[in-house]
Amino acid sequence: PFDDEIKAQEEPGVSPEEIGDEFRNIVHDAVSNAIMDPNPKNNRDAKKTADVLQQLDPAFARSLDPEARKQFFKFKKPLKPPKPYPKSLPKKPLPRPAERRLHMVQSDVHFHVNKPVMPDI
């Protein structure tokens, strides 16, 4: 068992630079594939991720796939300034105040109280 540990320490293995390069390549491929994803949510999230990674490393976007790079830079394009709002319509005039008048309502009620009539069966 101790011989295995000694051999593991002696073998050079993979250098940290190689691990970092491999990780960066995997991230570039993953972000490129996600930008090309037809799902709008995945596409939007990948473009935001690429934007953050570009802020950390300005050369990040140049190493994306050509089509993904094209879509990413289209996403980064500044928006057009908003158009001015149209003039508001003139306000509707207020209604005239009501006049106080007396309105007669006739409400005569007649009650006929009789013995109920049973139908002939």
Side-chain angles (χ1 to χ4, degrees), residues 27-37 46 60 63-65 68-69:
V27 169
H28 285 266
D29 291 341
V31 172
S32 294
N33 290 338
I35 288 176
M36 298 303 296
D37 193 346
F60 177 80
S63 59
L64 292 172
D65 291 342
R69 185 180 329 130

Side-chain angles (χ1 to χ4, degrees), residues 36-58:
M36 298 303 296
D37 193 346
N39 184 340
K41 183 184 179 308
N42 293 346
N43 187 304
R44 183 178 60 247
D45 292 345
K47 288 176 183 173
K48 288 179 182 179
T49 303
D51 188 33
V52 170
L53 291 172
Q54 187 183 19
Q55 290 174 7
L56 296 174
D57 178 19

